[in-house]
Amino acid sequence: MASLAAAEPPAPRAASRSPGLGPSRSGSERRSNAADPAQDAQSRSVDLNHVIALLGDSGSKDLEKEQLKTLKNVVKHFENGFPLKDIAQITDVLNLCADKMYEQEAFTEPLCELIKLFGLPFQKRKSSDEANYSVEVSQSITQLGYLMSIQSSQVRIQICKSVVNFFNTELPGKLLSGYQPASPNYKIRMAEIGGLAEILVLSLTLVENQLTEKLWVLKALQHLSISGESCEQMVNVQGARRLCLCLNGADPSGQLLFRSSDILWNLLEKVSKEEVVNQLRSLECVHALKEAFVELVCGFRHCDHQLRNDLLVIATLLAESPAVPLILFSENHVIPALLYYVKQNQRSAFPDWSAAQYEELQLHALAVLASVAPVLVDKYLSCQANTFLLVFLEWCISQDPFFGRGNSFHGTGGRGTKLAQMRYSLRVLRSVVALYNDAVNSNLCDQGAISQLLDILKYAADIAKEKESIALLEIQADILFILSVLCEDDNDRKELFSCEGIDILVSYLKMDPTRLCSGIGHNCLLLSALDCLWSCVIGCFIAEESFIEKQGVFLLLDLLAVRDNNLCNIILGILVEFSDNPKTVLHMSIWRGKRDRTAANVLVQLWRQEEQDLGVKRDQNGKIVDPKRPVMTSFQRQQKVIPVPACCPSFSVMEISESIRAKIYSLFWKLGFENLPGLSAKDVVTLAIIQHYIDFKVGEVWSEISAEIKEEFRPVTSDERALKLISEVSENTGRMVLGLQNEALERQHNQEIKEEKKIYKEIQATQVQKEMIDKSWQNFLARTSNYEALKKAKMHQKTLIEASRSKAKLHNGPEHSTDIPKLHTTVAPGRCVTVEGPCQEGLRADTDPTRSKSTVGRAIRNNQKDKNIGLSQEKNKKNQGKSRKINL
């Protein structure tokens, strides 16, 4: 075409580039090879404005030929991709060519060629071109999607192929001189901005009866669904519902089902699951899922198995919503089909399947059954599902050799064991038992489920002693929950449980409190054990007696002393229920915890902690600050007066059920409020509040009544006087308790002063004794080093001796000297003395000191011997008396 020719000299041609090389990171990339002169001539020979003007004309056939030739040159010119700066004009050319196609079919081929070029990477001259032309590019891609409305299979398929090529990261073999390809994700981002995914979902209606075109649209959507933003756009136009309805289309290749289910999975992963499930809840979608699943059950290929498992999981998610019309499942016997797999693994029915494949299908079926069974209870019972599950659980703890592969998601933690099968079977039982349906629960109990579940519980607990896991902890927690529901409000079942279940519960209550923070489920297990204790033991006298005899109350108080906020409420509730038994109160009274803590001390500390959490006003000593509202919480103080009907509880009444203070008051009412051991003065201060808790709550309720009355109307004089009197009584009670608290603190203060004085006297006596010892030591040193001091001490000693003598003198008696002859020491003499005197009646005087000393020594020894003989004789008499009593 002469008008498109250029007289400028040709430029060098760029050589082809290896697809493995990526684009340069800088905009100044230079190529070593020269560009093709013909290509550069074409780059300056095509005038897009002229092309647009030419396509806008209509007339003779010669003009049509020229238009086709011009479009062919445009395609040839941009065979390696469109420059970003020309995208707006290219879009105009594209629209004009599409308009021409409605008049002449000859324009179909060039239109498809132009659309094909959109699959190549855009080319940019500068790095900033991507941002500068983003609006034009996104609008161009949007217009590309709108071309799906053209009733041409060739055009629609080419559009989908170009969209798929958006995700092709290979670079073209040639580039325009001075250009480089845009970033690989640029087109994908522009497609998100342009809403291409939304347009293609809407176009599914246009290709409803054209299988090839539908498959290409689904392939394009499958690529786009890797983006979260594109998935959001699909959901906005009911994409999940539209795709679900495509599952059962006639397609021998199976691609229709595969691509639709894959897109559904991406939607579930990247968009709100609730929103997707809400779109799939229609009867048509459920029917489509059922038909697809039934078709895949008979499949033998690996892809069939994979698709079947995917549809099972989607059905599981749907079953979690109560609004999904699964009664299609009931009519088509889905429950019996799922129960078919609830039996020990047998490969004979599926000879071509491996054990791992059968196990995976079995666990999938159990998972679906756990979601479907609560919705189809009647069908569940009619199929004797409880019997299937109990028999299957019996196999799970049998010695039958089986080694789980644990390959699938549902088989996690079950490798080499039957724990995965046990885990999901118990999930099914838990799901139906949680309905509190009498027919289901009676059916289980009639088949001996309580004894069997206790055996399984002991089996799981024994394995957990060797190696704990999340699966084992979940199994134990589920069994405890099932037993709680089965035994609740039935004393016969509680007695049956108490035969073996009490020992198991006691073992759980002995759990180390530090394991509650392990993060693998010990806290849930302990809570399940406490719930089971409440439901399976309390209310049955035999079970309660057995639990108390096994020191169960002591174990509950041990857990209560840990002060775990998640456990305190339920433990206090259990103790309140047990407190009707007199033995419980006795055990609580004698219990001692760490550092000799008592039950009363633990309860008082829990009360103080609860009031601190609730924002109750107290001073530093724990005394009442506001006698008018002594136990009111910060939440209650912030609430405005809201009149409520008589049938609705007020804030004060609701607070009683929500906090633990009422339970603590109930326990103290059983223990008593006086002569409680282990309480400090601060505990006594708090105990005074606890003792009058009900009085304070009554005052709060009357205060609310008074406020509501005054909010609505003015009371009469007599009513106002009565309300005022009630308010004064409540306030006086608060002041009285405040007085008791002051007295307790004063007694503590006086006791502290008395103890302080006693300690001070002990310190003072110790100091005086020390001073006397120091003074004695100084005197001793003075006598040994100073002769004059020694003489003075000797004179003082003689004076004391003379003063100690008797004033009456003996006649003819000897005179004893206090001096020891030839003594050269300065310390006091020893204890050996020689006594001289006349001989009288058998006693012989002896002046020999040695003889005298030996005589005295023998006399002392003989005296001691006589005493010992007397003591032994008395002891023999006592022993003889005891023996006589025994003989009698």
Side-chain angles (χ1 to χ4, degrees):
M1 196 171 117
S3 60
L4 295 177
E8 297 180 4
R13 178 180 176 87
S16 62
R17 184 169 179 174
S18 173
L21 299 177
S24 173
R25 295 184 179 270
S26 64
S28 59
E29 179 185 26
R30 298 181 179 178
R31 302 181 180 272
S32 58
N33 297 332
D36 187 1
Q39 181 182 351
D40 191 59
Q42 284 186 348
S43 67
R44 289 186 293 272
S45 64
V46 174
D47 184 358
L48 291 177
N49 291 326
H50 178 76
V51 174
I52 294 171
L54 182 63
L55 290 175
D57 296 336
S58 59
S60 62
K61 286 194 174 182
D62 293 336
L63 180 60
E64 179 182 328
K65 291 181 181 179
E66 187 176 358
Q67 290 171 341
L68 291 173
K69 184 177 180 181
T70 303
L71 288 173
K72 185 176 180 180
N73 289 337
V74 170
V75 171
K76 179 64 177 177
H77 174 68
F78 295 111
E79 62 181 348
N80 294 317
F82 296 124
L84 289 175
K85 66 181 184 63
D86 297 332
I87 286 296
Q89 294 172 307
I90 293 294
T91 304
D92 294 337
V93 172
L94 197 68
N95 291 332
L96 290 171
C97 187
D99 294 338
K100 289 290 183 182
M101 181 184 163
Y102 286 108
E103 302 172 1
Q104 295 292 336
E105 261 187 56
F107 286 90
T108 301
E109 186 66 27
L111 177 60
C112 290
E113 291 296 328
L114 287 173
I115 294 173
K116 182 178 180 180
L117 295 178
F118 272 87
L120 300 176
F122 293 140
Q123 299 187 27
K124 61 182 179 181
R125 187 182 293 274
K126 301 177 182 178
S127 298
S128 59
D129 285 353
E130 292 185 2
N132 294 337
Y133 297 104
S134 60
V135 176
E136 291 83 354
V137 174
S138 62
Q139 292 176 351
S140 177
I141 294 178
T142 302
Q143 187 61 35
L144 184 67
Y146 287 147
L147 294 181
M148 289 293 295
S149 60
I150 298 177
Q151 296 182 358
S152 170
S153 176
Q154 186 179 355
V155 173
R156 290 172 177 172
I157 292 175
Q158 187 58 60
I159 293 173
C160 295
K161 287 183 177 180
S162 297
V163 173
V164 171
N165 287 332
F166 286 2
F167 299 85
N168 185 7
T169 58
E170 294 184 4
L171 297 177
K174 301 177 182 178
L175 293 174
L176 293 175
S177 177
Y179 287 86
Q180 59 180 341
S183 57
N185 294 327
Y186 181 68
K187 277 188 179 180
I188 301 173
R189 181 57 186 158
M190 293 299 102
E192 294 172 354
I193 296 175
L196 180 61
E198 181 176 332
I199 299 171
L200 290 180
V201 170
L202 294 174
S203 68
L204 284 173
T205 307
L206 303 175
V207 297
E208 183 67 30
N209 300 320
Q210 286 78 28
L211 178 60
T212 305
E213 298 172 27
K214 182 187 291 187
L215 290 176
W216 272 107
V217 173
L218 290 175
K219 185 175 182 179
L221 288 172
Q222 188 179 13
H223 281 77
L224 291 172
S225 64
I226 64 174
S227 163
E229 189 169 342
S230 296
C231 290
E232 289 281 355
Q233 295 172 6
M234 296 182 197
V235 173
N236 290 338
V237 291
Q238 296 290 310
R241 185 184 65 83
R242 294 172 186 268
L243 291 166
C244 186
L245 296 178
C246 295
L247 291 174
N248 298 313
D251 177 24
S253 66
Q255 293 187 35
L256 190 64
L257 178 59
F258 168 71
R259 299 193 187 281
S260 301
S261 61
D262 188 59
I263 300 171
L264 282 175
W265 260 111
N266 290 336
L267 294 180
L268 287 168
E269 289 179 352
K270 294 179 171 59
V271 190
S272 172
K273 185 175 68 174
E274 291 76 12
E275 191 171 354
V276 175
V277 171
N278 189 47
Q279 292 185 13
L280 298 177
R281 58 186 285 188
S282 65
L283 190 62
E284 295 82 4
C285 291
V286 174
H287 182 74
L289 282 172
K290 185 263 297 184
E291 293 294 332
F293 177 76
V294 171
E295 181 181 351
L296 289 172
V297 166
C298 302
F300 58 90
R301 297 176 300 176
H302 176 72
C303 60
D304 294 336
H305 300 165
Q306 182 179 0
L307 284 174
R308 176 206 61 213
N309 296 343
D310 292 345
L311 293 180
L312 272 175
V313 176
I314 294 174
T316 304
L317 296 175
L318 286 177
E320 294 177 357
S321 175
V324 177
L326 289 178
I327 191 67
L328 288 170
F329 287 169
S330 176
E331 293 174 353
N332 291 277
H333 309 291
V334 174
I335 293 287
L338 295 174
L339 288 174
Y340 175 79
Y341 300 100
V342 185
K343 58 185 178 182
Q344 66 182 36
N345 293 31
Q346 296 177 349
R347 294 181 55 186
S348 58
F350 302 93
D352 297 333
W353 289 21
S354 65
Q357 289 174 331
Y358 183 83
E359 179 190 19
E360 184 175 351
L361 178 60
Q362 183 183 59
L363 295 176
H364 270 297
L366 287 169
V368 174
L369 189 61
S371 299
V372 174
V375 187
L376 307 172
V377 178
D378 295 336
K379 191 70 175 179
Y380 175 88
L381 289 173
S382 65
C383 295
Q384 299 181 351
N386 284 335
T387 305
F388 277 91
L389 291 168
L390 292 176
V391 173
F392 189 62
L393 284 171
E394 187 176 354
W395 171 77
C396 289
I397 62 173
S398 66
Q399 300 298 324
D400 184 20
F402 171 77
F403 301 98
R405 270 59 179 179
N407 297 328
S408 64
F409 168 78
H410 297 296
T412 303
R415 186 173 184 82
T417 64
K418 307 170 190 174
L419 291 180
Q421 286 77 6
M422 184 188 300
R423 182 183 190 182
Y424 280 90
S425 300
L426 290 170
R427 280 190 184 181
V428 178
L429 285 179
R430 175 178 180 139
S431 66
V432 294
V433 166
L435 299 173
Y436 290 86
N437 186 295
D438 292 337
V440 174
N441 296 348
S442 299
N443 182 267
L444 280 171
C445 293
D446 293 342
Q447 299 185 61
I450 294 178
S451 299
Q452 184 175 347
L453 289 173
L454 287 173
D455 293 338
I456 299 173
L457 187 59
K458 288 189 290 185
Y459 173 82
D462 292 338
I463 297 178
K465 292 178 182 178
E466 301 176 1
K467 184 179 180 182
E468 287 187 333
S469 65
I470 297 177
L472 278 171
L473 292 173
E474 182 184 331
I475 287 171
Q476 296 174 79
D478 286 346
I479 295 176
L480 290 171
F481 174 80
I482 295 170
L483 290 171
S484 301
V485 178
L486 293 179
C487 297
E488 191 172 3
D489 301 328
D490 193 308
N491 280 346
D492 294 336
R493 296 175 186 174
K494 290 181 180 181
E495 289 184 12
L496 180 61
F497 171 87
S498 64
C499 297
E500 299 179 0
I502 299 294
D503 292 329
I504 301 176
L505 287 180
V506 168
S507 66
Y508 287 129
L509 296 182
K510 293 179 180 179
M511 182 187 299
D512 185 2
T514 57
R515 300 167 70 185
L516 298 177
C517 303
S518 63
I520 61 174
H522 287 97
N523 54 342
C524 295
L525 178 59
L526 183 56
L527 285 172
S528 300
L530 292 172
D531 180 62
C532 184
L533 172 62
W534 201 324
S535 301
C536 301
V537 176
I538 293 175
C540 177
F541 180 78
I542 296 175
E544 287 184 3
E545 289 288 318
S546 176
F547 179 76
I548 295 174
E549 288 175 1
K550 297 182 187 322
Q551 300 184 351
V553 175
F554 290 164
L555 296 174
L556 289 174
L557 290 173
D558 290 338
L559 288 174
L560 190 64
V562 179
R563 294 170 62 180
D564 190 315
N565 293 333
N566 297 323
L567 300 176
C568 287
N569 202 344
I570 187 172
I571 293 176
L572 287 171
I574 293 172
L575 288 173
V576 169
E577 296 292 337
F578 268 115
S579 62
D580 291 335
N581 191 315
K583 292 184 180 180
T584 301
V585 179
L586 177 61
H587 280 231
M588 291 181 65
S589 301
I590 64 178
W591 175 82
R592 293 296 181 271
K594 294 182 179 179
R595 297 185 296 276
D596 205 30
R597 296 179 65 189
T598 63
N601 175 258
V602 172
L603 293 174
V604 168
Q605 290 190 5
L606 287 173
W607 180 283
R608 280 201 295 266
Q609 182 63 43
E610 179 72 4
E611 288 196 332
Q612 183 179 351
D613 296 339
L614 294 175
V616 180
K617 290 184 178 180
R618 297 284 182 263
D619 66 1
Q620 58 183 359
N621 295 319
K623 296 191 301 181
I624 293 174
V625 175
D626 185 3
K628 294 183 179 180
R629 297 179 294 181
V631 293
M632 184 171 286
T633 65
S634 60
F635 176 77
Q636 289 177 268
R637 288 193 296 269
Q638 294 171 1
Q639 297 303 312
K640 297 180 181 179
V641 179
I642 303 176
V644 295
C647 60
C648 297
S650 63
F651 288 113
S652 296
V653 178
M654 291 174 61
E655 190 273 331
I656 293 177
S657 61
E658 292 175 355
S659 72
I660 64 175
R661 293 191 292 179
K663 298 181 178 67
I664 295 175
Y665 170 80
S666 300
L667 290 174
F668 269 114
W669 190 77
K670 295 287 186 179
L671 288 171
F673 294 95
E674 297 180 358
N675 301 324
L676 294 173
L679 296 183
S680 63
K682 190 173 182 180
D683 294 339
V684 174
V685 168
T686 305
L687 186 61
I689 301 174
I690 300 174
Q691 186 174 1
H692 295 85
Y693 173 70
I694 290 297
D695 299 331
F696 294 146
K697 294 305 293 185
V698 170
E700 275 187 15
V701 173
W702 276 109
S703 177
E704 289 179 341
I705 294 173
S706 177
E708 290 182 15
I709 290 175
K710 294 178 180 178
E711 185 74 15
E712 295 291 331
F713 50 84
R714 180 180 178 183
V716 297
T717 305
S718 58
D719 290 343
E720 189 172 4
R721 188 184 303 113
L723 291 173
K724 184 178 180 181
L725 180 61
I726 294 172
S727 177
E728 290 176 354
V729 170
S730 178
E731 185 176 353
N732 291 337
T733 303
R735 296 188 185 280
M736 181 267 293
V737 173
L738 183 59
L740 293 176
Q741 292 176 327
N742 289 328
E743 291 178 5
L745 292 174
E746 186 176 356
R747 285 196 302 269
Q748 181 199 19
H749 181 67
N750 294 335
Q751 183 65 24
E752 289 176 352
I753 292 176
K754 187 182 295 185
E755 292 179 356
E756 185 178 352
K757 288 181 178 180
K758 182 180 178 181
I759 294 174
Y760 178 75
K761 287 182 179 179
E762 292 178 356
I763 296 173
Q764 190 178 24
T766 303
Q767 186 64 26
V768 171
Q769 184 67 22
K770 184 178 179 182
E771 291 177 357
M772 292 177 63
I773 293 173
D774 291 342
K775 186 176 181 181
S776 176
W777 176 250
Q778 293 297 331
N779 292 336
F780 174 75
L781 290 179
R783 292 197 305 271
T784 57
S785 59
N786 190 340
Y787 182 69
E788 294 296 330
L790 180 61
K791 287 171 45 177
K792 186 176 180 181
K794 184 65 175 177
M795 293 298 295
H796 181 64
Q797 184 182 24
K798 287 183 177 181
T799 304
L800 294 176
I801 292 173
E802 291 297 332
S804 65
R805 291 182 184 277
S806 176
K807 302 301 181 183
K809 294 188 177 182
L810 296 175
H811 297 286
N812 299 325
E815 293 289 339
H816 298 287
S817 174
T818 58
D819 294 333
I820 299 175
K822 299 179 182 180
L823 181 65
H824 300 288
T825 63
T826 58
V827 296
R831 297 181 180 179
C832 296
V833 296
T834 301
V835 181
E836 296 179 359
C839 183
Q840 298 177 359
E841 300 196 11
L843 291 178
R844 184 180 62 185
D846 196 347
T847 57
D848 186 1
T850 307
R851 190 179 185 87
S852 175
K853 283 189 250 182
S854 63
T855 302
V856 173
R858 280 197 301 274
I860 293 171
R861 286 195 297 271
N862 290 335
N863 188 20
Q864 184 66 33
K865 184 176 181 180
D866 293 340
K867 290 182 179 179
N868 292 337
I869 292 172
L871 290 173
S872 62
Q873 290 176 352
E874 287 184 10
K875 188 174 182 181
N876 291 332
K877 289 179 180 180
K878 291 180 180 179
N879 292 334
Q880 291 175 2
K882 291 181 180 178
S883 64
R884 283 196 296 272
K885 291 179 182 178
I886 294 172
N887 293 331
L888 290 175

